[in-house]
Amino acid sequence: MGSGSVPSRFAGVDFYQIDSLLTEEERAIRDTVRSWVDDNLMPVIGQCYVEGRFPKQLIPGLAELGVLGANLPEEYGCAGLGNVAYGLIMQELERGDSGIRSFASVQGALVMYPIYAFGSEEQKKKWLPRLARGEDIGCFGLTEPDFGSNPSGMITTARETGDGWVLNGTKMWITNGSQATMAVVWAKTGDVNDAKSIRGFVVPTDAKGFTGKDQKGKLSLRASDTAELHLEDVHLPKDAILPKSGGIKSPLSCLTQARYGISWGAIGAAMACYDEAARYSKNRVMFGKPIGGTQIQQVRLADMLTEITKAQLLSLQLGRMKEAGTMTPQQVSMAKRNNVNMACECAREARRLLGANGILAEYHSMRHMANLESVYTYEGTHDMHSLILGQEITGLAAY
Amino acid sequence: MKIAVCLKRVPDTTTKIVVAGDGKSIDETGVKFVPNPYDEYAIEAAIAFKEKAGAGETVVYSLGADVAQETMRTALAMGIDRGVLLQSPGSPDGFEVAKALATEIGTGGFDLVLFGKMAVDDYNHQVGIMVAELLELPCISAVSALTIDGSAVTAEREVEGGVEVVTCQLPVVITADKGINTPRLPSLKGIMAAKKKPLELKPVTLGPGGVTVTALALPPERQAGKIVGEGPDAVPALVQLLRNEAKVI
């Protein structure tokens, strides 16, 4: 797809020589994932999106490249990369499609990370190498139908029995949920009002009583697997619990990891839209000259390039702070909030610049535009991140 | 099996080339450099033959400025064992490069020396063949399929309208064409491992060379097309133009 609209190789957007702030390895990693996306994802993504199908056939290639849980240590079969390199991977994947980046975010930051951070040594050795190799696909069950922005209100329960645990509850908007072979599910081991009793559990999806139901009718993230999980008297052994998990802080720390990656991913989507719009503006002739020669399109392009450049600097510094161990969740909120909103605006303006062609799946901007509405809403809505920053500034919680 | 592979750092083929002020070189400002794509076929072949043999060593050689190390590390990330950069700041002609490479490679005891069939920046198709001559080794150029069984080499070359099959014994110099393989992407672990692999720097002094580039120019801009009309009515005018102006029918 995309003949005439897309170059065969994506050249990136770097107006401020930000490449010079990256190490040679970081650039090489970025370029490698970029090539992989050009060769493997771009030829199929338009069709997958239209058909509402996740390109599952690409998982082995992603795993072989080393993308899954890439910032976790080598001793568990991961690539052991730094956090800027990890962010650049997310950027390049989302340059292709938010759905494939979501897959990698969930597998790495929401499934592998909690096992790494809260799991026993046995759990880490059992699951992490298999997840890194893509032999297991994971999903993350936190959000419930009535508890989205307020996850600590969850009503999913885990009751301890003589020989293990019994889980009951429903989880919603679960990326990878239909195809997952295992799930990290968060449940209350105590009273439903006791948020401190929230613990993480590793649940094989073939466990009796576990069902994943594909979410139908999505107009966004159509090339991503989104499902609803039902747990009805799911019996688990004693060692299914993540021993070091405890309280809402545990799943929220996973979200901080994922949101960090999203802040980079959104830049990728914005770069794809800007690149498409800039290219189109130079080739599309109207009133006898390229539309790029008109003031209104130049304002659009100037705004996009400026906002992308600002977002690049924001995420890069965030990544350096993450590597130094000084990054705070509030700083992640700022980057997620700013960059996803910025990408939504770029995608919309790019789609408009493309005129009628912009509504076709052959071009990429409208697909990104629709995808980014989900990204705007998940992993802490834009509004919730405003309130997190508001609380940080004033010391007063408005939620 | 001991395999040498030679690599040149070239501008990315998607780069928009700007001729520098001297009128005979390219302006490197903002230009992204990559491994010469034909050399990537040679690198892939080297790694694959070593993997198949189960033992041996692969060494990547390049000649150029220090910045070529970054390009060479792509080869190390793909799986080449070590590298040697012959440091030379200038851009000498192919024969001078071939002499320096032959001097270095000649002492290495290699069974197989691999090149891309040409570099995409200068299209010279020279260096691999010259190195073979200087090393007094047989050379099979523009190889699109290659098998090695013991020391028996069988290569296919795409010639006008057909395929030529060539055999010889190791050691041999091969220059690789498209079709010989699909170069692998380096894995992310490979990229991290590459910085720990040995990359030796050796200064070389090249002769002045016998060939001088005197001018470099971009191709003329394409003229705008002409629409002569629509439907059957336009056919006579189109035929007339194709016959008398474009002179293609």
Side-chain angles (χ1 to χ4, degrees):
Chain A
M1 287 209 137
S3 58
S5 65
V6 203
S8 57
R9 316 304 295 178
F10 180 66
V13 178
D14 183 12
F15 190 65
Y16 257 42
Q17 296 175 24
I18 295 168
D19 260 21
S20 68
L21 302 175
L22 303 175
T23 66
E24 187 184 311
E25 287 79 29
E26 287 164 350
R27 288 198 299 274
I29 286 162
R30 191 259 327 266
D31 292 349
T32 298
V33 179
R34 185 173 285 173
S35 289
W36 185 90
V37 169
D38 276 333
D39 294 340
N40 297 281
L41 182 59
M42 298 320 287
V44 301
I45 188 58
Q47 198 63 34
C48 282
Y49 194 86
V50 169
E51 292 169 7
R53 177 167 57 80
F54 175 74
K56 198 175 177 178
Q57 74 278 12
L58 300 181
I59 294 174
L62 272 176
E64 195 179 334
L65 203 55
V67 160
L68 305 177
N71 55 347
L72 297 178
E74 289 178 76
E75 59 175 308
Y76 299 114
C78 304
L81 304 185
N83 285 294
V84 169
Y86 173 80
L88 289 164
I89 294 171
M90 296 297 126
Q91 171 189 294
E92 293 307 316
L93 293 180
E94 195 149 359
R95 191 270 296 185
D97 190 79
S98 301
I100 195 108
R101 199 271 306 136
S102 296
F103 167 81
S105 280
V106 169
Q107 183 90 347
L110 296 184
V111 177
M112 297 172 71
Y113 175 78
I115 293 173
Y116 171 70
F118 309 121
S120 65
E121 197 55 36
E122 292 72 37
Q123 286 169 328
K124 291 186 218 183
K125 284 199 175 118
K126 176 178 176 191
W127 292 106
L128 293 180
R130 291 181 53 77
L131 288 159
R133 289 195 298 267
E135 292 163 7
D136 270 306
I137 306 300
C139 65
F140 178 82
L142 176 68
T143 297
E144 298 184 359
D146 294 321
F147 298 94
S149 294
N150 176 21
S152 56
M154 69 169 64
I155 54 173
T156 296
T157 57
R159 296 283 165 251
E160 198 160 9
T161 63
D163 59 349
W165 300 91
V166 178
L167 269 63
N168 277 288
T170 300
K171 299 290 182 181
M172 204 162 172
W173 307 115
I174 309 304
T175 299
N176 299 352
S178 297
Q179 59 180 340
T181 56
M182 56 88 75
V184 171
V185 173
W186 299 89
K188 282 177 177 158
T189 56
D191 188 80
V192 285
N193 296 317
D194 180 11
K196 286 197 183 73
S197 76
I198 293 172
R199 307 291 298 269
F201 292 86
V202 178
V203 185
T205 57
D206 59 4
K208 190 163 174 280
F210 186 102
T211 45
K213 201 174 77 185
D214 199 25
Q215 182 70 53
K216 302 284 183 202
K218 282 187 300 172
L219 298 175
S220 173
L221 287 184
R222 288 186 52 76
S224 175
D225 165 14
T226 312
E228 195 176 314
L229 310 181
H230 295 280
L231 295 100
E232 197 181 340
D233 289 332
V234 175
H235 286 258
L236 298 173
K238 268 202 175 334
D239 63 359
I241 194 165
L242 294 173
K244 286 178 255 172
S245 66
I248 191 67
K249 267 201 169 127
S250 299
L252 292 187
S253 74
C254 304
L255 295 180
T256 299
Q257 303 299 315
R259 289 165 181 170
Y260 167 77
I262 291 168
S263 91
W264 283 92
I267 298 170
M271 279 164 44
C273 295
Y274 166 77
D275 182 68
E276 180 167 79
R279 200 172 297 277
Y280 190 85
S281 78
K282 291 179 221 172
N283 292 328
R284 175 68 171 171
V285 174
M286 197 58 58
F287 297 110
K289 65 172 181 183
I291 61 170
T294 63
Q295 291 185 349
I296 193 160
Q297 308 302 6
Q298 291 190 357
V299 172
R300 282 199 162 110
L301 293 166
D303 282 344
M304 284 186 223
L305 182 58
T306 306
E307 291 306 317
I308 288 168
T309 303
K310 285 152 71 176
Q312 286 171 328
L313 291 166
L314 201 60
S315 277
L316 180 59
Q317 172 62 5
L318 187 70
R320 295 293 180 226
M321 290 191 290
K322 192 171 193 304
E323 288 175 345
T326 63
M327 180 187 86
T328 67
Q330 293 77 13
Q331 289 166 336
V332 179
S333 285
M334 180 182 280
K336 193 273 182 185
R337 177 177 183 270
N338 179 76
N339 292 6
V340 177
N341 190 53
M342 168 292 286
C344 286
E345 296 297 320
C346 281
R348 185 174 305 277
E349 292 304 318
R351 205 238 40 89
R352 288 176 178 166
L353 182 149
L354 288 162
N357 281 323
I359 71 163
L360 297 174
E362 183 183 335
Y363 293 85
H364 303 293
S365 294
M366 186 154 175
R367 176 167 50 78
H368 283 298
M369 187 184 100
N371 279 338
L372 287 161
E373 287 297 317
S374 293
V375 182
Y376 184 92
T377 305
Y378 72 28
E379 298 276 355
T381 65
H382 183 82
D383 296 340
M384 282 309 298
H385 288 299
S386 307
L387 300 186
I388 290 168
L389 287 170
Q391 184 182 13
E392 176 72 4
I393 297 161
T394 63
L396 304 167
Y399 57 93
Chain B
M1 187 184 281
K2 201 166 173 197
I3 306 169
V5 55
C6 295
L7 169 64
K8 185 176 185 184
R9 174 180 182 265
V10 298
D12 192 337
T13 46
T14 58
T15 300
K16 198 170 183 314
I17 296 295
V18 175
V19 177
D22 66 3
K24 52 189 180 183
S25 61
I26 68 161
D27 181 353
E28 296 192 358
T29 313
V31 173
K32 188 176 171 229
F33 286 84
V34 296
N36 175 39
Y38 288 97
D39 299 343
E40 289 187 306
Y41 297 123
I43 293 163
E44 174 62 35
I47 298 166
F49 280 122
K50 187 196 148 183
E51 281 173 351
K52 193 169 162 236
E57 188 185 30
T58 52
V59 187
V60 60
Y61 292 89
S62 190
L63 186 147
D66 286 355
V67 283
Q69 288 174 81
E70 181 166 349
T71 315
M72 294 177 76
R73 267 193 279 272
T74 305
L76 301 178
M78 287 168 74
I80 296 288
D81 298 318
R82 65 181 176 92
V84 179
L85 173 62
L86 303 179
Q87 294 169 288
S88 167
S91 50
D93 71 16
F95 190 37
E96 295 301 321
V97 173
K99 283 194 277 191
L101 285 171
T103 303
E104 183 65 29
I105 291 169
T107 58
F110 290 103
D111 303 297
L112 180 62
V113 182
L114 290 158
F115 288 83
K117 73 164 181 178
M118 64 173 207
V120 297
D121 57 350
D122 62 21
Y123 272 56
N124 271 335
H125 301 73
Q126 288 185 351
V127 174
I129 299 165
M130 286 172 165
V131 167
E133 170 71 16
L134 291 166
L135 294 176
E136 297 183 3
L137 288 176
C139 180
I140 311 175
S141 63
V143 169
S144 57
L146 182 64
T147 53
I148 300 175
D149 186 6
S151 65
V153 177
T154 307
E156 288 182 14
R157 307 177 64 249
E158 282 179 24
V159 294
E160 187 66 39
V163 175
E164 180 183 72
V165 180
V166 184
T167 60
C168 77
Q169 295 291 312
L170 293 176
V172 62
V173 176
I174 299 283
T175 76
D177 200 353
K178 215 179 289 185
I180 189 169
N181 53 41
T182 307
R184 69 192 69 191
L185 274 179
S187 73
L188 306 186
K189 278 185 207 171
I191 292 169
M192 299 312 285
K195 64 179 172 187
K196 293 173 201 136
K197 290 185 177 178
L199 179 49
E200 194 182 346
L201 306 180
K202 285 191 176 178
V204 290
T205 309
L206 302 182
V211 177
T212 310
V213 176
T214 55
L216 189 65
L218 296 174
E221 281 206 26
R222 273 212 323 221
Q223 300 292 311
K226 195 188 286 180
I227 295 171
V228 295
E230 278 184 27
D233 295 349
V235 172
L238 181 63
V239 169
Q240 192 266 330
L241 285 171
L242 289 174
R243 184 165 290 147
N244 300 325
E245 201 176 296
K247 298 192 166 79
V248 292
I249 58 171

